[in-house]
Structures are given as C-alpha cells and as structure tokens.
Amino acid sequence: MSAIFPTRGEKIFRGFNGSLLILISLLFLVPFLTVFMTSFLSEQEYIQRGPFVLFPEKFDFGAYKMLLFQGDAVLTAYKNTIFRTVVGTILQVGATSLLAYGLSKSDLPGRKIVISALIICIVFPVQIIPLFLLNKSLGLIDSIWSLIWPRLINTQYVFIMMAFFRQIPASLEESAKLDGCSVFQTFVRIILPLSLPSLVTIGLFYAVWQWNDWFDAAMFLISQGKLPVQNLMRTILLSSTMSEVITTGQTPPPGEAIKGAVIVISTLPILAAYPFIQKYFVKGMMIGSVKG
Amino acid sequence: MKSLRKKKSDYAALYWLMAPGLVYFFIFRYIPMLGTLVAFKDVAPFEGIEAIFTAPWVGLKHFRKFISSVFFWNIMGNTFILAGLRMIFEFGLPIVLALMINEVRLLKFKKAVQTISYLPYFVSNVVLAGMVFNLLSLHGGLIPEIIRFFGGQPEYYVGMSDTFRPVLVTAIVWKNLGWGTIIYLAALTGIDPQLYEAAEIDGAGRWQQTIRITLPSISYAIAIMFLLRISVVLNQGYEETLLLYSPAVYKTADIIDTYVFRTGLEQMNFSFATAVGFFKSLLALALVGLSNWTTKKLGQDSLYA
C-alpha cells in the first residue's frame, strides 16, 4: 500500500471515496434531523413556512406538552413498553441461556435430537394463524403476556450462546464440581459471570426487539390501554386527525409536529443508549454469523 | 461406577435447567406447526387451537381457492419481485459500502461512518414508516420540496402503485445497509496486507487490487451471506409493507404475508389464510433446500446440519 507517498491518482481516489462516504452518512442522518426539527413546529410557523423546516425559528414544545401532559395515552403506552421490555428481556435471556448451556455440553444424551428440533424451527417459522389460535386457547389474547411467551426464545440466539459457552474451559466447571457445586450453582456462580458480555449482547438484541415490536401487539392485544408505544405511534402516524387518539387542548400543535414528537419520544431511549451498546451488538453479530 | 451415577444425575440436572426452553419450543413452536393442519380444515372464528382435532376436514379446498383466485398471480409476482429486489440491493449494496469504508485510512472518520450507518438499524419499522411519510409528505416533505425547487411536480409516491416498490425497497435498504456491512468489514480486516504489497510491486493498480485480492478474499463470506439470505428472503419485508401500503397500491405491494394478515386476522378466514401461509412455507422450504444443496456443491459445510 502506498500509504506514505500517495500518488496523484491515489489522492483523487481517496478524496472521491471520502466525499461519497460523507454524502452517504448525511443520507443516514438527514431523515432523523428533519423529523426531530419538525417536532418543534408551532401552529404559527406551520402556517407561515409549511411543515418542513431544517431549523425552526422558535422551538415550540407544544407537541411534547400535549403528548406527555394531556391525557395519559402516551404515558400508559410507555409503561406497557417498559414492562414488556424489562420483564420480557429477563425471561428471554434466562430461558435462552439455560437451554444453550445444556446444549453446549457435547456429551449430553439426546443433544443431537434437541438441536435438530431447533433447526427445524429456523426452517419453519411460526405461522400467524395457528399461533393466534393457540394464544386464544391459552387465554393469552389481550394479555400483555402474549407479547412475551410466544417469542420467549429466538432460536438463532440459542446457537450464538452455545458458541459462547463452549469457549469456557471445562476445567473451571470441574473444579467447581469438586468443591461441591451443583450443576445449577456452577451455572450461576461460574458460567454466568464469565459470559456476561454474551448475556448483555443477547439481552440487548431481545430488548431492542421488545422495544420496537408492534406486530405481535397488533395481533394479540385489543384494549387501548394495553398497547405499547409503537402501536400508539402507528395509530397517530396513520390518522389525519389527532383527536381520535388524544384529547386536544385549545390550540393544538400541527399534526406534523405531533407525529415528529411521537417519533422522537419512542426512539429516544434506544438512540440514547446506542453509543454504549453499539460495540456489544457488533461483537454479538460477529460471533453469531461465524457459525451457528 | 460412582462417577457414572454422578454423571447421570448431572445430565438430569442439565435437563431440568433446559426445561423452560424445551417446554417453550414444544408449546409455542411445535403445536403451531401441527396447527398448520387447520389449512386442511374449516375453522370457525371462535375456535381455538383445538380446531386441529375438532374441525371438519375439507381436503385441499382452501389451496384450490387460493390458486384459482384472481389475486394469485399478482401476489406471487409481487412476492418474488420484492424478494428479488431485496436480494439485489439489500445484499449487494452492503458489500460496496464495506469496500468503500475499508479504503478509509483515517481511523476516526472510519469509525464515525460506521457508527452513523448502523444507526437506522435500531429504529422500529413504525418509525421507519413515519419517516417515509414525513419525507414524502406533499405538504412540505423534504423530497417533494426538493423536486419543487428544481421545478418538478411531485406526486404522492407512497400512494401510487408505480412508485411504491422503489419507496419500500429504498426504506428497507436505508434501514439495513450499514448493519449489513459488519460481517464484510470483519472479513476485510482479515486479509494479509502483504498480498497488497506484492500486488503493488507487480504493478497492480487500486482497481486491480480490489478485483484480484479483496473480492476473492471475502468471497467465502459473500457466498455464505448470499445463501443464508436466499433461505429466508420470503419471510422478510412484510412488516415494512404492512406499514406503508394502502388499498391504492395493492396491485404492486400485496405479498403473500400481507395477504395472509388481511384475509386471516382482519377478515377472519383462518383456514384459508393458513393454507396460503402453508403454501408460502413450501416455497420457502424449497429455497432452503436449494441453498443447502448449493453450499454442499460448493464443497462447504451445509448450512443446516
């Protein structure tokens, strides 16, 4: 590589490549920016300048005030989302890691059968109607648990965790056993602390899914008060009049501002956590894609 | 002898730990798989999963109805066109972007581009749809404004059947492009720099180095990603479609999964929708078999056992 003395052609190439990448990065950022800025529009500015502004003259928090303080639709939906994300993620990580731990023991009798059974599940994804009928029979329709039990384990993640567990030296477990640890104690005291990075990775994958999902809630939930944020947002984004969703005050902010604000509110937690979690995601993705 | 008995109790303990997971797979994966049988039955809307035993058999009635329906070819066409477009753009563009990012020498710039490009992957599909509506809004959305600025006459692109597919595929690519580069970037860092030095001494230019060294070096990763993607391509894209489409664009937007959602959950034709879904599963299975067979032919481990 002519890194030290770049030729003229090399310089042109690098300049071109760099500029193109800057342009691409802008394409990723601008949609976020426009939605963010739209959320601060006031009715007055909306009439004067139209709904699209790159930078509002005055930052108006009307849309946020309305969403957060008038009626409790948003706060209830937020509560539902937080509940399913926290409880769901804990249960999902627990069940996934326990199953993966057992399967990581290559001498476990019946291991091959279980693994084949899991692979069949990757090949045949669940059909929505039979799942719906099942949930009906189990009484899960319109229950928040319908967002957790039916998707308790993502089959791919079992294989990712298996790969993690197999990297832990067997001698560690043997010495724990000699010290009188039961299998469960070994798992909790030795294996889990050692595989914390993998637990975090898988947990974040599950949490992002729980936070972002709307489809399951649309299928299985009926009551407005049980719906998560994404579903409330879907209703707001699809409706032209806001009054259906939220009781309006005297001078409501423009609909575009409300749509922008609801996007910001529902996305902010993930975007705020994003810089911290990014490296875990990348690592988890790598291990998962190498084999499994 | 004692150690053997000890071993046996260990295995039992392991199975107890695995029990929640195994019970989950039995109830929520295998029972619905058996539940696919309602495709061959007539299930009334008020029934539950017991219908796989109680409802009357009707043979292939629902399959015949689907195949002979006026929507059949349209839906099949849309499904495969969308899958094809996704294969071309969503599979191809990350390779190009990864190659571009890999050429960057400035480490901070490289990291910044990567971080920004992963960002959209974490927004929900609902937000993605919201952004599409916002950007394409005729009342001052960014893209219509740009078109007006250059003297054009913008139209409502999400709501027109001619432009729905480009909008949908662009949105999906925007969301997944950066994330798709991760695996290739990892493969690229594994290339021995000496190969490039040798090539340069032999007089290979930048372009030749890419063709002769870079691409062959990551060809394994490309092949694996291609095959993995082929086997799941029919199972993706329905959420984005459901969120963005409207009756006005059914002609080009309706795919098997959205049709299942509409006829099944909205119109409560449970058996018919299951039959349509089962039909799709068979197509997907054929694709899995095809990609598995291809991997074996290429002399690599098969993807699925």
Side-chain angles (χ1 to χ4, degrees), chain A residues 36-260:
Chain A
F36 186 66
M37 290 305 178
T38 315
S39 72
F40 294 108
L41 276 181
S42 65
E43 184 67 23
Q44 202 187 356
E45 199 168 345
Y46 176 77
I47 292 165
Q48 279 171 1
R49 298 175 64 188
F52 172 71
V53 284
L54 251 194
F55 203 81
E57 279 166 7
K58 195 174 136 274
F59 281 87
D60 185 282
F61 291 92
Y64 291 95
K65 275 185 197 149
M66 187 174 125
L67 284 171
L68 295 173
F69 301 120
Q70 284 180 24
D72 50 8
V74 173
L75 294 178
T76 307
Y78 233 108
K79 236 182 274 168
N80 296 337
T81 293
I82 290 171
F83 176 82
R84 71 176 287 192
T85 305
V86 172
V87 176
T89 304
I90 292 170
L91 291 172
Q92 286 177 310
V93 171
T96 308
S97 58
L98 284 170
L99 182 61
Y101 178 62
L103 292 176
S104 70
K105 300 268 167 277
S106 46
D107 57 346
L108 184 79
R111 178 176 175 270
K112 276 208 161 150
I113 298 169
V114 177
I115 286 183
S116 313
L118 295 191
I119 288 168
I120 290 172
C121 289
I122 295 182
V123 179
F124 294 101
V126 176
Q127 274 216 48
I128 57 172
I129 301 294
L131 187 63
F132 184 84
L133 296 176
L134 176 67
N135 278 353
K136 207 179 217 173
S137 294
L138 294 174
L140 286 175
I141 299 297
D142 207 26
S143 154
I144 193 120
W145 295 101
S146 67
L147 309 180
I148 293 172
W149 298 133
R151 311 249 189 240
L152 187 67
I153 295 179
N154 180 319
T155 319
Q156 309 264 0
Y157 300 168
V158 177
F159 291 111
I160 295 179
M161 291 224 80
M162 240 170 71
F164 269 117
F165 288 144
R166 302 195 85 160
Q167 291 167 358
I168 296 172
S171 54
L172 271 175
E173 290 177 65
E174 275 159 28
S175 61
K177 212 179 280 176
L178 285 178
D179 289 343
C181 276
S182 70
V183 173
F184 184 68
Q185 281 170 327
T186 315
F187 177 70
V188 173
R189 296 208 186 141
I190 310 287
I191 304 296
L192 285 190
L194 283 175
S195 44
L196 207 59
S198 73
L199 293 176
V200 173
T201 309
I202 297 297
L204 289 170
F205 276 121
Y206 277 130
V208 167
W209 179 79
Q210 290 280 6
W211 189 275
N212 281 341
D213 169 70
W214 64 279
F215 189 76
D216 281 11
M219 267 196 296
F220 302 137
L221 296 184
I222 300 156
S223 318
Q224 284 290 322
K226 289 178 180 167
L227 289 174
V229 155
Q230 303 291 341
N231 296 70
L232 179 76
M233 183 164 65
R234 179 170 172 243
T235 319
I236 294 177
L237 290 175
L238 293 180
S239 67
S240 43
T241 51
M242 291 299 125
S243 52
E244 297 166 24
V245 188
I246 293 151
T247 46
T248 45
Q250 298 92 349
T251 45
E256 290 297 320
I258 294 177
K259 289 178 182 180

Side-chain angles (χ1 to χ4, degrees), chain A residues 10 51-52 109 117 136-137 230 274, chain B residues 15 30 45 50 124 139-140 206:
Chain A
E10 183 83 23
F52 172 71
K136 207 179 217 173
S137 294
Q230 303 291 341
Y274 173 68
Chain B
Y15 268 101
Y30 276 85
E50 307 82 50
S124 73
H139 306 283
R206 169 71 66 172

